[in-house]
């Protein structure tokens, strides 16, 4: 119903915000990740929304990017993951990290979300793996160190890792195995695409 709401951020709670637009205050359910990225009260925000309409409910779910909204829509197609579960997962990992977890088959990472058990996490992986492309997974992710800090997605390190992953998939390795192996490689000033490939191949066996 609503593509997005653009207005003044009036209230912020743990899982809900109020955005005033056109003299109307809209209650919008959001993830913890979204709350952390919001500007201060009184600032203008643009929230991309998903509308849930039921006989006894009319709810808006909001995201700061179309990317987050898109992955949320994929999540709620999984049996057992409703809008509440989708927000819970996106509260413990962003869209890029979720795509990597799906491609890598990392059910434990997804199961960290409140109310999401291992079986449900495995169902997310099974249902969405074919709906997540390698290019989507590479976006903003391959430069993420093992410690969790995200580097600039446009950096030279990011580009080298991307090329290494593409080379491994061209050799016949699965996208999830390629991403997993390349993520384990430590990049230094002397690192090249070739050296990343050599190290990654060692992690394949």
């Amino acid at each position: 119903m609503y593509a997005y709401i653009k207005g003044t951020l009036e209230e912020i709670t743990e899982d809900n915000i109020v955005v005033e637009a056109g003299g109307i205050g809209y209650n919008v359910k959001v993830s913890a990740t979204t709350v952390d990225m919001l500007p201060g009260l009184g600032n203008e925000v643009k929230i991309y929304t998903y509308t849930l309409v039921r006989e006894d409910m009319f709810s808006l779910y909001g995201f700061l990017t179309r990317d987050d909204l898109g992955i949320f829509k994929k999540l709620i197609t999984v049996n057992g993951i409703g809008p509440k579960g989708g927000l819970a997962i996106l509260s413990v990992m962003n869209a890029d990290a979720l795509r990597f977890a799906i491609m890598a088959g990392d059910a434990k990472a997804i199961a960290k979300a409140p109310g999401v058990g291992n079986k449900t996490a495995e169902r997310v992986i099974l249902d969405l793996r074919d709906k997540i492309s390698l290019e989507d997974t590479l976006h903003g992710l391959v430069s993420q160190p093992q410690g969790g800090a995200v580097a600039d997605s446009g950096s030279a390190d990011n580009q080298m890792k991307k090329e290494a992953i593409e080379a491994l998939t061209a050799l016949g390795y699965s996208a999830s195995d390629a991403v997993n192996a390349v993520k384990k490689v430590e990049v230094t000033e002397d690192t090249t695409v070739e050296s990343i490939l050599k190290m990654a191949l060692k992690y394949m066996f």
Side-chain angles (χ1 to χ4, degrees), residues 63-133:
F63 308 88
L64 288 172
T65 67
R66 287 193 180 94
D67 186 34
D68 286 342
L69 174 59
I71 202 72
F72 173 79
K73 287 180 177 179
K74 286 184 172 69
L75 275 172
I76 61 177
T77 65
V78 177
N79 186 30
I81 298 288
K84 184 177 180 179
L87 281 189
I89 291 173
L90 292 175
S91 288
V92 298
M93 57 176 57
N94 61 26
D96 283 329
L98 175 59
R99 276 191 286 262
F100 170 69
I102 292 170
M103 292 290 291
D106 189 354
K108 288 185 179 180
I110 299 172
K112 289 179 181 179
V116 178
N118 283 326
K119 287 185 178 180
T120 302
E122 289 170 0
R123 192 178 304 123
V124 169
I125 293 168
L126 182 64
D127 288 1
L128 298 187
R129 180 171 282 169
D130 292 339
K131 299 177 182 178
I132 302 295
S133 71

Side-chain angles (χ1 to χ4, degrees), residues 108-188:
K108 288 185 179 180
I110 299 172
K112 289 179 181 179
V116 178
N118 283 326
K119 287 185 178 180
T120 302
E122 289 170 0
R123 192 178 304 123
V124 169
I125 293 168
L126 182 64
D127 288 1
L128 298 187
R129 180 171 282 169
D130 292 339
K131 299 177 182 178
I132 302 295
S133 71
L134 175 61
E135 186 62 31
D136 286 341
T137 307
L138 290 172
H139 174 68
L141 179 65
V142 292
S143 62
Q144 183 178 339
Q146 291 300 103
V150 179
D152 179 4
S153 62
S155 68
D157 292 353
N158 183 69
Q159 183 60 33
M160 285 193 297
K161 286 191 173 186
K162 178 178 178 179
E163 290 177 13
I165 291 171
E166 290 173 343
L168 288 169
T169 56
L171 289 171
Y173 294 99
S174 71
S176 59
D177 286 345
V179 172
N180 261 330
V182 170
K183 285 234 347 140
K184 294 176 182 177
V185 177
E186 183 177 352
V187 177
T188 66

